[in-house]
Amino acid sequence: MNGFNPRVQLDWRRPPQEFFFAPGVDAGLWTTAPLPQMWERRPKGRIAAASVSDYDKFRTATRDYVTSTFRDRIFRSGLLMRTVPVVLENVTTEGHFLAIDGKHILNGAAGTRLRNKYSWANEGHFDADAETAAHFAELRAADPVPPVWEGSIDGLDFVIDTRNAFNFYHFATETLGQLCLVDRDDFTGRVLIHSDRAEVKTFIRDWIDQIFPRLRGRVEFLSGNHSYDRCLSVLNARHLWFQTGASAIDGLEEEAPETPHWLGRVPDRKSMLVLDMNSCDDTLLLLRETALSRIEGGDWSHLPRRFWVGRKSQRHRPMKGEAALTRALAKRGFEIVYFEDYSPLEQVALLAQAEIMMSYHGAGFANMLFASPETHCIEIGTHQTCRFRWRDFLPHTIASGCRYTSLFADFNVDDPAEGPPIRSRPLQAVRLGPDGQRKVLAYVDAILGQVRIDDPDWLAEVARMLARTGDTDALARLLDGHPNQTMADPDMMVQRANLHLAAGDPIAARLLLERAWEMTGNRPFLLERLVLLCERLGVEAPWAKLHAARYPQRAGLLEQKLQRQRRQA
């Protein structure tokens, strides 16, 4: 047992058929128009991560988890998951959960929390995950599609949920963008936002008023139990994927990695996390577009372009080493800013024109939703944030296209070499030691153009991070500044080959990839790169035969890659 004790008391022991609402099967939900394509491809988030811990224990653990994440949990593309307006009848709210005739709707992050709580609440009673999976399999076999509302929606209120109205991350990421669906002149109802707590921070209302001025005065926050005969709300594809068949949503499996962490349409909770970290709801993208339109034409020249974000909040978790780091950053043109000192539109503009934003882990990184594709957002965390919080901000990188690097340092505890239990609560504060600071500053300097790094291991790591974040200018400077090290490291040779390919020089790229293979001789992915490149160039080479001899178990995967390349040609 996990000691599950929820704030919202639901009838958790009901079987999934009676607990979860099934769109297209259960009565009470209609889409306002036929379902569109409920997902689309987006460029993958440009994300990188590395350990800057002073201790082998955490360097090793972080490296292993980061490597596993990029290998096993990242999709071939980013996914944009649609959210559509719906008409609901016989609605009740309990905390921030919405139900139709007593069956709870699975939507977005609230749906993920509901799935988790349902599983935890039934530990020791019945296998909630297995029964939910079986129930959803029956739904998928029926291939349901929600019906379309034929009546009028004039004057209906818009009823949605929020986890709370005092945490910027949750409200901005999960709730604020839903207002885009009713930010229209023909919407005349109220916006009723339900939470399981009554507290509403002033800054939450400020964000609503400044991003959605036409809704000013019509947004209300409610807690407790309420009911509605009929209202507007939303239906999101993230959980609909597990409850419906190909008629509603199809093709998404083609983007997923072949890994035990992903079980396709089976509603495994680990699979749900993988889908969440590889996708963003379209309401995030709509929020970004709406917010950026609000700052058009403004004079934001007083705002810094390189900055470290400090904290004033009551939940302040001081970072040990922050003062020394910010002094060093000041010499590189950085200023210290506090988001609390800026209006919502100023915060949008800060990120929209930022060159580099840095801070330690916190809710403020939700603002990178408004960053430009050229912005570097650099977060300093711990192995705890690596394991349990890193994925929180990955949807924002898909929506904005910005460059997001997570540098995982140590714990600000009495014994940082040992650290606390990583599953502990609350979230532990960060400690950045002298060696960690040196590495952080070397990465910043590489972005800014100072390319000398004497530590060969950190040089290779910085090159890897610049490659993953797509900063090809900084990567080219780094490799040019370290020619001997580049030609001695197969990974950096591959990165140089990628730069040649981007510049339209596949012959030079092939020579580098061949040399990298000769140095390693045991990397199937590298050999597959050579097979793909040689077919693209139309040249005879021994690599396909070598691959067939060395890695017969990967023949199918290679053929899939070849077919994909041929389709894209």
Side-chain angles (χ1 to χ4, degrees):
M1 298 291 289
N2 60 16
F4 177 65
N5 185 25
R7 281 191 301 272
V8 180
Q9 298 299 324
L10 306 181
D11 186 1
W12 299 102
R13 300 291 166 78
R14 286 183 294 161
Q17 297 89 336
E18 298 175 13
F19 190 84
F20 297 114
F21 182 85
V25 175
D26 294 326
L29 180 149
W30 298 260
T31 58
T32 59
L35 283 183
Q37 171 70 24
M38 289 298 285
W39 71 277
E40 67 178 57
R41 293 174 182 84
R42 294 275 297 178
K44 287 196 296 188
R46 299 194 292 177
I47 59 175
S51 174
V52 292
S53 171
D54 288 345
Y55 304 100
D56 286 339
K57 171 183 175 178
F58 294 113
R59 281 196 295 267
T60 299
T62 296
R63 182 190 64 237
D64 291 348
Y65 189 79
V66 168
T67 299
S68 171
T69 295
F70 282 110
R71 183 186 64 228
D72 299 330
R73 296 178 177 89
I74 301 298
F75 280 25
R76 295 185 179 92
S77 69
L79 307 176
L80 186 72
M81 308 301 284
R82 295 289 181 200
T83 304
V84 297
V86 292
V87 175
L88 308 181
E89 287 189 343
N90 300 324
V91 176
T92 55
T93 68
E94 296 175 88
H96 72 298
F97 298 124
L98 274 60
I100 298 173
D101 286 327
K103 292 187 177 183
H104 302 286
I105 306 170
L106 290 170
N107 257 331
T112 300
R113 282 191 288 274
L114 189 63
R115 279 291 318 278
N116 288 335
K117 291 175 185 293
Y118 183 68
S119 178
W120 298 334
N122 288 298
E123 286 183 3
H125 299 280
F126 65 90
D127 191 339
D129 287 337
E131 293 197 18
T132 300
H135 171 49
F136 285 10
E138 293 177 356
L139 295 178
R140 292 194 301 275
D143 201 14
V145 176
V148 179
W149 180 257
E150 301 292 347
S152 171
I153 60 174
D154 290 346
L156 291 181
D157 292 330
F158 185 58
V159 177
I160 56 176
D161 69 88
T162 190
R163 183 175 186 178
N164 58 58
F166 55 80
N167 180 287
F168 177 73
Y169 166 79
H170 289 293
F171 191 81
T173 301
E174 302 171 9
T175 307
L176 190 60
Q178 296 184 50
L179 274 60
C180 294
L181 298 184
V182 292
D183 185 28
R184 311 184 313 265
D185 289 336
D186 62 348
F187 172 69
T188 59
R190 298 171 298 169
V191 176
L192 305 175
I193 303 177
H194 288 266
S195 171
D196 59 355
R197 301 189 193 183
E199 181 182 5
V200 182
K201 291 291 188 183
T202 300
F203 70 82
I204 294 291
R205 296 190 185 277
D206 290 342
W207 273 89
I208 293 172
D209 289 346
Q210 293 191 29
I211 305 299
F212 300 103
R214 83 176 89 205
L215 297 177
R216 187 177 288 122
R218 290 192 285 151
V219 179
E220 301 177 23
F221 287 86
L222 303 171
S223 61
N225 299 340
H226 298 266
S227 61
Y228 303 92
D229 293 335
R230 182 180 296 157
C231 63
L232 294 172
S233 192
V234 299
L235 180 65
N236 176 262
R238 212 192 303 178
H239 292 278
L240 188 65
W241 157 257
F242 297 105
Q243 293 179 289
T244 57
S247 295
I249 308 177
D250 196 17
L252 190 150
E253 299 101 321
E254 297 177 6
E255 303 304 314
E258 297 187 9
T259 165
H261 297 283
W262 171 252
L263 300 181
R265 297 193 97 124
V266 177
D268 175 78
R269 288 186 292 126
K270 292 181 180 178
S271 284
M272 288 165 48
L273 291 177
V274 173
L275 179 59
D276 290 351
M277 67 187 285
N278 285 280
S279 64
C280 74
D281 296 338
D282 62 349
T283 50
L284 267 186
L285 187 61
L286 292 171
L287 175 59
R288 169 183 167 81
E289 293 169 349
T290 301
L292 292 179
S293 72
R294 297 286 181 255
I295 66 169
E296 287 180 359
D299 180 8
W300 310 107
S301 57
H302 62 289
L303 300 175
R305 301 191 64 225
R306 301 176 189 172
F307 52 90
W308 172 270
V309 181
R311 304 287 165 77
K312 291 184 176 179
S313 73
Q314 293 179 352
R315 299 179 67 189
H316 182 58
R317 293 180 293 271
M319 174 178 133
K320 187 173 183 179
E322 179 179 8
L325 179 63
T326 54
R327 285 195 298 270
L329 290 173
K331 297 176 182 178
R332 293 160 170 82
F334 282 73
E335 297 182 26
I336 299 176
V337 305
Y338 300 90
F339 282 147
E340 298 94 328
D341 293 340
Y342 294 91
S343 71
L345 293 185
E346 285 177 315
Q347 292 181 50
V348 173
L350 257 175
L351 269 296
Q353 65 181 27
E355 183 181 0
I356 303 177
M357 165 195 168
M358 295 181 65
S359 189
Y360 53 94
H361 177 86
F365 274 90
N367 269 330
M368 70 180 174
L369 173 65
F370 311 115
S372 84
E374 301 306 311
T375 303
H376 277 276
C377 296
I378 302 173
E379 178 186 38
I380 301 176
T382 66
H383 186 61
Q384 185 187 37
T385 60
C386 173
R387 291 293 306 275
F388 304 113
R389 298 294 185 92
W390 183 19
R391 58 181 173 259
D392 289 355
F393 297 111
L394 300 189
H396 303 71
T397 70
I398 296 172
S400 70
C402 72
R403 297 167 169 141
Y404 173 43
T405 302
S406 298
L407 300 174
F408 300 112
D410 292 308
F411 295 98
N412 187 9
V413 294
D414 292 339
D415 185 3
E418 180 61 28
I422 62 171
R423 290 184 179 273
S424 65
R425 291 178 179 271
L427 196 66
Q428 298 292 320
V430 177
R431 173 191 180 274
L432 184 65
D435 188 57
Q437 177 178 306
R438 174 184 63 81
K439 290 177 177 178
V440 170
L441 292 173
Y443 184 58
V444 172
D445 286 342
I447 293 169
L448 297 177
Q450 303 297 319
V451 297
R452 191 67 228 165
I453 299 178
D454 295 326
D455 179 344
D457 292 334
W458 190 241
L459 170 65
E461 197 67 74
V462 169
R464 187 177 298 112
M465 291 190 291
L466 293 175
R468 282 178 169 158
T469 59
D471 194 339
T472 54
D473 290 342
L475 177 60
R477 288 192 302 264
L478 188 72
L479 299 181
D480 288 343
H482 301 82
N484 295 334
Q485 295 92 325
T486 297
M487 296 308 293
D489 185 293
D491 290 331
M492 288 197 284
M493 274 192 281
V494 171
Q495 292 152 7
R496 172 60 76 188
N498 292 338
L499 292 175
H500 282 304
L501 285 172
D505 190 354
I507 295 175
R510 177 188 170 189
L511 293 174
L512 284 165
L513 291 177
E514 289 176 342
R515 181 165 178 175
W517 167 257
E518 291 167 359
M519 291 180 65
T520 60
N522 62 354
R523 297 187 180 183
F525 297 106
L526 181 53
L527 192 55
E528 287 159 14
R529 287 281 310 271
L530 280 167
V531 174
L532 291 165
L533 181 56
C534 288
E535 180 183 270
R536 175 180 154 192
L537 295 174
V539 300
E540 293 289 336
W543 308 120
K545 291 182 179 179
L546 181 60
H547 185 277
R550 286 276 191 94
Y551 309 108
Q553 75 279 9
R554 294 183 61 87
L557 289 174
L558 176 58
E559 182 58 30
Q560 289 177 18
K561 293 180 180 181
L562 288 166
Q563 292 295 338
R564 194 178 301 118
Q565 176 173 276
R566 291 162 189 159
R567 288 195 301 268
Q568 295 172 352

